[in-house]
Amino acid sequence: MAGHCDLESGDCVKIGSDITTCQSAGVKVLLSIGGGAGGYNLSSPSDAQGVATYLWDHFLGGTSRSRPFGSAVLDGIDFDIQTGSDSIYFDRLAKNLASLYQGAKDGRTYLLTAAPQCPFPDASIDTALRTGLFDHMWVQFYNNPPCQYASSGDVTNLRSSWEQWTRAFPSASIFLGLPASAFAAVADGYIPPGDLTSRVLPLVKGAANYGGIMLWNSYYDSRNGYSAKLLADPPIGSPVPGASGSPSPIDLPVAPSAGGPLPKKSSRTFVKCTTEYNFQTLFYS
């Protein structure tokens, strides 16, 4: 919960209204599990089942006497697993969650997403990704020099890695994960907005399963105005709905229907940011 509430005292219930407010505006809110710090793992198949049930009952469509966000129901679970070779049984967790999703009786559609590092295959959750159950992957093309945009402007490594990811997982929407400012990345990968729209997006948007842009994170985005700069400077050749490759400004925001799945392919550009709550939020423009 990123230090924004005290889980044990029940203080996190206050965030529930924030979640439902976002959802009423068409914003998907996911709970991201894992992270780059601390020790965590799944010890057995039964452990994976237990964690899936816990997540379902406490945050998604299940029932529990102690739901941290009260009556708010999140839209899915995001795997940000960065524990390397110790990351076993996360494929079981994905399968267990998918089974619970399919058995939902509330009519909602739940998402399963992941934030792998760009070196291919991912060292932590490749086995889980290979299940084919993930709707979206926001691949982190930063803090990984062998597969990120070079500060010199060289796009060779990024393009090669992007093609690997989009070919390997054709049924998932692949997002280009970037730092929202030069301060948001430890080992660079920051792409100036002008370079992104003129040099990088024309390369990546040709993939049939291009999903959009992921930004780490909304705090840095608000300080740097990164997404606002992208909207002000749309990529060359942005398609017009119903037209044939004619350049146009990026469309104005249109919210997806509440509870419905995000489209796999759209003329709009999706952007995902991580909020200060460490929720994963989705919006598109």
Side-chain angles (χ1 to χ4, degrees), residues 2 32-41 80-84 87 90 117 124 140 143 186 216 278:
S32 187
I33 62 173
Y40 55 89
N41 61 60
D80 182 21
I81 310 303
Q82 301 181 40
T83 58
S87 303
F90 281 96
Q117 307 290 312
S124 297
Q140 299 180 42
N143 294 335
V186 177
W216 174 264
N278 264 14

Side-chain angles (χ1 to χ4, degrees), residues 159-226:
R159 175 169 52 188
S160 176
S161 181
W162 173 260
E163 290 174 351
Q164 278 187 306
W165 282 97
T166 53
R167 284 197 306 263
F169 301 103
S171 63
S173 293
I174 309 298
F175 284 63
L176 183 71
L178 302 173
S181 85
F183 299 102
V186 177
D188 207 6
Y190 177 72
I191 305 178
D195 289 358
L196 178 61
T197 56
S198 65
R199 305 188 62 187
V200 178
L201 284 183
L203 295 178
V204 302
K205 290 188 72 173
N209 54 340
Y210 166 78
I213 303 165
M214 179 272 274
L215 297 178
W216 174 264
N217 58 28
S218 64
Y219 168 79
Y220 289 106
D221 182 44
S222 64
R223 297 294 296 269
N224 191 35
Y226 195 88

Side-chain angles (χ1 to χ4, degrees), residues 116-130 137 139-142 144-148 157-170 172 174 209:
Q117 307 290 312
C118 61
F120 187 89
D122 184 84
S124 297
I125 54 169
D126 182 63
T127 302
L129 298 181
R130 298 286 180 182
M137 299 180 194
V139 185
Q140 299 180 42
F141 289 93
Y142 55 95
N144 289 288
C147 50
Q148 68 189 26
N157 290 346
L158 186 152
R159 175 169 52 188
S160 176
S161 181
W162 173 260
E163 290 174 351
Q164 278 187 306
W165 282 97
T166 53
R167 284 197 306 263
F169 301 103
I174 309 298
N209 54 340

Side-chain angles (χ1 to χ4, degrees), residues 43-157:
S43 61
S44 65
S46 61
D47 191 17
Q49 179 65 65
V51 171
T53 301
Y54 174 84
L55 293 172
W56 177 254
D57 287 342
H58 288 75
F59 298 100
L60 302 170
T63 57
S64 171
R65 292 182 178 179
S66 58
R67 288 180 64 92
F69 304 132
S71 60
V73 178
L74 300 184
D75 295 294
I77 301 295
D78 175 65
F79 284 38
D80 182 21
I81 310 303
Q82 301 181 40
T83 58
S85 59
D86 293 332
S87 303
I88 57 176
Y89 303 122
F90 281 96
D91 58 329
R92 297 290 189 97
L93 178 59
K95 292 175 182 178
N96 293 333
L97 284 169
S99 178
L100 290 167
Y101 288 4
Q102 292 169 4
K105 299 178 181 180
D106 56 7
R108 297 171 67 107
T109 298
Y110 295 93
L111 296 171
L112 193 61
T113 70
Q117 307 290 312
C118 61
F120 187 89
D122 184 84
S124 297
I125 54 169
D126 182 63
T127 302
L129 298 181
R130 298 286 180 182
T131 62
L133 297 172
F134 289 82
D135 300 286
H136 309 295
M137 299 180 194
W138 357 90
V139 185
Q140 299 180 42
F141 289 93
Y142 55 95
N143 294 335
N144 289 288
C147 50
Q148 68 189 26
Y149 181 83
S151 57
S152 64
D154 188 353
V155 300
T156 304
N157 290 346

